[in-house]
Amino acid sequence: MLVSGDDALAHRLAAELRDVYRQQVTLLVPPSRSPASPPADANVPSGGRALALLGRVSAGIARTGVSRAAANGGGGGPDELRVMETDDPDDVALREAGVETAQALALVHEDDETNIRAALTARRLNPRVRLVIRLYNRKLGQHLEELLDQAAVLAVPGIAADDIDSSTTVLSDADTAAPALAATAVTGTSKIVQADGLLLRAAERPPPGRGETADRGLCTLALLSSTSSDPAGVEGTDGSGSDGPLLLPDDRAVAAASGRGRIVLEAVGPDAGPVSRLGGPALPFRELFSRRVRWSFAGIGAAVTALAVAAWLTTGDDPLHAAYITLLDLFSINDPAVGAEADRQVLQLLTGLVGMLLLPLLVAAVLEALSSFRSATALRRPPRGLNGHVVLLGLGKIGTRVLGRLRELGTPVVCVENDPEARGVALARRLRVPVIIGDVTQEGVLEAARTHRAHALLALTSSDTTNLEAALYARSIAPGLRVALRLYDDDFATAVYRTLRAAHPGALTRSRSVTSLSAPAFAGAMMGRRVLGAVSVERRVLLFAALEVADLPRLEGRTIAEADRPGMWRVLALDMAAPGDRRPDLSAAPPDDGAEHTTGLLFDLHPGHLLRPGDRVVVAATRRGLAELLGHRTG
């Protein structure tokens, strides 16, 4: 495996390939920067303002931290991580790194032009190499995939179609990190795998109490080790004894387990988040007019009704005729009641007075309606009474993708952005999502976003200190608020998480690095589009893959019960789409064409269902189990 990059994503991706997938990796980095160091222009807190902010919570934050893994990582997996320095991934550097015999090449430079140029060079040097390219522009990435796959077909006549399907993959760190960040806000965890538009969450469940029924979700992925509930053994163990975690247990093992936590698989969809309060008409009546105007209209209506009833009772007219005469008096278009009875004259005077009160009210209503329509064409304000929403800070490239994902899940969102020309403001306007323009560190901004009523807060600005300050201020407003922060440096993120968790043990806190969230998706693409992702269980790893049943003797012609192998692999779902309509990459985000995407995956399969050669299934497997299932040699 070859990885070429100039920031933390390259280093983390290389470590993921080595430690999770046990691959031999060569890392190409610029000579001026160590692979473990962040880019020079990254906003990494040096300890000054950021540590001062943390000092509000704990005076000992400066002593909190974890050691950074070295680039050549002693104590890692059995495979070596070779580091090669080069100014530019040109043909000379790629040849020296071994691209001609490599299985896959990941180009994760921050500069799109560098990635595209290196991809074209690599495809010429090795038409069969699997390319994974970091690119933010989706349309350009789609055209680039088609171009490079076509180049592979022309360079190697007769190349297999399966090789072309996994030949080129264009990913964006924003796209790959967005599902995990959205899942953190909605469900409180980032242990998720995306499959055909669904978020599959690996949720940890405590041991069931006496007389309680264990929540099994879609299935039980693992039984946690007996030390997982012990603070001294929170990391668990990777042993295979009775105290270690048991991956992919069968029903008998799950039923016999007592006093052990478990990891269950759940599907996160539109029903997983809080109830949306942002739906309904494009401009609801309650937002068109303020509460004061609405109450004024109600008072005028009650007065007119009372006058109509009084006219009916005093004159003895038909009720409809009495209401009609009252309205004529209200609008001053009726004849004066000269010479009429006294009660009729009094009612006409009172009705005229109410009509005079109605005139300024109509003017105020028109002005408010015009203001509401004008703001509706610009940016929407948070509606009155909003609660249970997600406050999203920052609408850059990460925030924009997370906003789209949250709205796909049906989660109400209120955004806060300092720059009115930011990338995601246009998307928020199109989705009619409320946006507060202002600095999140200024007082009153988070209050305007209804943070005290929010379900969660996502701090995704490009500044670590801004995210931390906003999170601390939000906690002062709502101590039990669920908070997730985007932080660049892993050591700093760990320190923030530990301190906030100690200060607010009853509130959920998550600190996330975009590189740590996106690296598994890039690693899975390098292993081929069959691998959808990986989920860690204590110190072990479960892989999720989409496999064609054909040519897999351990699946083809077997029932679901016969195909499952406890501790090695389990069939989770069946792709019900026709072979010609299937998406080649189930882990990719649904197409952004405005149409609602419906997943074709069927869970809860009958144990007697027979797997045929044309079927495609989603399986969960250990590393060894997936290698055996695919017929590879196991180490």
Side-chain angles (χ1 to χ4, degrees):
M1 298 286 181
L2 300 182
V3 178
S4 178
D6 55 1
D7 64 354
L9 178 59
H11 175 225
R12 186 170 292 277
L13 174 56
E16 182 89 7
L17 291 169
R18 181 195 62 183
D19 298 336
V20 176
Y21 295 99
R22 307 298 187 192
Q23 297 293 312
Q24 297 179 356
V25 184
T26 297
L27 177 61
L28 285 77
V29 294
S32 60
R33 187 179 304 145
S34 168
S37 301
D41 58 349
N43 193 334
V44 182
S46 58
R49 182 187 176 199
L51 294 182
L53 291 172
L54 274 179
R56 302 176 185 175
V57 182
S58 171
I61 184 61
R63 298 187 298 273
T64 307
V66 295
S67 60
R68 187 192 300 269
N72 292 315
D79 300 297
E80 295 286 337
L81 173 60
R82 174 190 172 203
V83 179
M84 174 181 166
E85 294 185 345
T86 178
D87 291 313
D88 184 45
D90 53 10
D91 54 351
V92 176
L94 292 177
R95 286 180 186 273
E96 184 179 352
V99 70
E100 294 174 328
T101 58
Q103 178 183 353
L105 166 64
L107 299 166
V108 293
H109 294 266
E110 289 190 328
D111 181 25
D112 290 350
E113 182 179 348
T114 300
N115 293 331
I116 295 174
R117 184 173 63 251
L120 297 174
T121 303
R123 177 61 76 222
R124 175 172 51 84
L125 296 177
N126 184 1
R128 294 181 178 272
V129 69
R130 183 180 296 122
L131 293 177
V132 179
I133 308 168
R134 176 186 185 180
L135 209 63
Y136 183 80
N137 191 320
R138 291 178 176 177
K139 292 184 179 179
L140 177 59
Q142 181 180 0
H143 295 320
L144 186 63
E145 283 187 4
E146 296 174 356
L147 174 65
L148 293 175
D149 286 345
Q150 183 66 21
V153 172
L154 296 177
V156 184
I159 190 171
D162 292 341
D163 294 336
I164 294 300
D165 287 341
S166 60
S167 181
T168 306
T169 304
V170 177
L171 297 175
S172 164
D173 52 348
D175 281 332
T176 53
L181 290 170
T184 300
V186 175
T187 65
T189 180
S190 60
K191 290 186 176 181
I192 57 100
V193 174
Q194 183 160 300
D196 199 20
L198 285 178
L199 290 182
L200 303 179
R201 171 179 61 171
E204 184 174 343
R205 292 288 181 264
R210 180 176 299 178
E212 295 180 353
T213 303
D215 179 14
R216 300 184 57 183
L218 296 176
C219 71
T220 300
L221 293 177
L223 297 175
L224 299 177
S225 63
S226 58
T227 62
S228 60
S229 58
D230 182 6
V234 69
E235 295 294 335
T237 173
D238 55 1
S240 58
S242 59
D243 292 337
L246 181 60
L247 302 185
L248 303 175
D250 56 11
D251 294 340
R252 190 182 316 170
V254 173
S258 61
R260 298 177 68 172
R262 61 196 68 204
I263 300 292
V264 300
L265 186 67
E266 298 176 344
V268 180
D271 298 332
V275 178
S276 175
R277 297 292 185 89
L278 298 180
L283 198 60
F285 182 80
R286 61 183 300 178
E287 295 182 41
L288 188 62
F289 303 112
S290 66
R291 178 179 299 178
R292 186 177 303 174
V293 171
R294 295 200 304 269
W295 277 109
S296 299
F297 271 116
I300 293 291
V304 172
T305 302
L307 290 171
V309 172
W312 168 48
L313 295 177
T314 56
T315 62
D317 290 342
D318 182 80
L320 291 179
H321 185 266
Y324 175 69
I325 295 299
T326 301
L327 290 177
L328 291 180
D329 292 335
L330 181 71
F331 298 123
S332 301
I333 58 177
N334 199 13
D335 294 333
V338 178
E341 298 180 359
D343 51 359
R344 166 66 183 140
Q345 293 176 341
V346 171
L347 287 175
Q348 189 175 57
L349 290 176
L350 292 177
T351 305
L353 179 61
V354 174
M356 294 176 60
L357 297 177
L358 179 62
L359 181 60
L361 181 58
L362 291 176
V363 174
V366 170
L367 293 178
E368 281 204 356
L370 289 176
S371 176
S372 299
F373 277 113
R374 185 162 53 248
S375 62
T377 58
L379 292 176
R380 193 180 180 195
R381 303 289 294 180
R384 301 176 181 87
L386 176 66
N387 61 77
H389 57 287
V390 174
V391 179
L392 176 60
L393 310 182
L395 287 176
K397 69 174 186 177
I398 303 294
T400 302
R401 294 293 194 243
V402 174
L403 171 61
R405 189 58 185 162
L406 287 173
R407 293 308 296 145
E408 289 175 4
L409 295 174
T411 304
V413 186
V414 174
C415 301
V416 180
E417 174 56 49
N418 190 32
D419 181 12
E421 303 296 329
R423 185 192 302 267
V425 172
L427 176 64
R429 182 184 293 111
R430 180 167 60 87
L431 296 177
R432 295 197 49 76
V433 172
V435 178
I436 304 296
I437 300 297
D439 188 352
V440 296
T441 60
Q442 299 297 322
E443 292 187 5
V445 175
L446 290 181
E447 287 86 347
R450 310 289 195 271
T451 305
H452 60 287
R453 299 179 179 177
H455 171 74
L457 180 137
L458 279 175
L460 305 180
T461 71
S462 58
S463 171
D464 286 1
T465 52
T466 299
N467 293 336
L468 177 58
E469 186 172 357
L472 295 177
Y473 185 55
R475 276 287 165 78
S476 67
I477 299 175
L481 180 67
R482 176 182 294 173
V483 173
L485 300 86
R486 169 195 176 187
L487 300 175
Y488 183 88
D489 185 77
D490 286 337
D491 294 350
F492 183 61
T494 303
V496 169
Y497 166 71
R498 291 177 175 176
T499 306
L500 290 179
R501 182 184 59 179
H504 301 276
L508 184 66
T509 303
R510 292 289 183 266
S511 54
R512 295 288 182 255
S513 168
V514 173
T515 56
S516 65
L517 295 176
S518 57
F522 280 82
M526 294 187 71
M527 298 300 297
R529 292 182 181 175
R530 290 179 297 192
V531 178
L532 303 179
V535 168
S536 61
V537 179
E538 296 179 1
R539 296 182 184 178
R540 303 183 67 183
V541 175
L542 277 178
L543 303 178
F544 292 80
L547 304 177
E548 302 288 344
V549 174
D551 300 326
L552 293 180
R554 291 175 176 83
L555 297 181
E556 184 178 355
R558 298 173 182 259
T559 63
I560 297 295
E562 296 171 345
D564 289 342
R565 184 172 175 183
M568 298 291 282
W569 64 77
R570 169 177 288 178
V571 178
L572 301 177
L574 177 67
D575 192 351
M576 301 300 295
D581 299 333
R582 292 174 182 170
R583 300 173 59 198
D585 186 5
L586 289 181
S587 63
D592 189 12
D593 53 7
E596 182 178 356
H597 176 73
T598 303
T599 181
L601 297 181
L602 175 64
F603 293 88
D604 194 17
L605 299 174
H606 191 276
H609 178 80
L610 184 66
L611 296 177
R612 297 177 175 82
D615 292 339
R616 181 167 70 168
V617 295
V618 175
V619 301
T622 63
R623 281 191 295 252
R624 180 182 176 185
L626 184 60
E628 183 176 335
L629 190 61
L630 296 176
H632 296 169
R633 178 178 58 87
T634 58

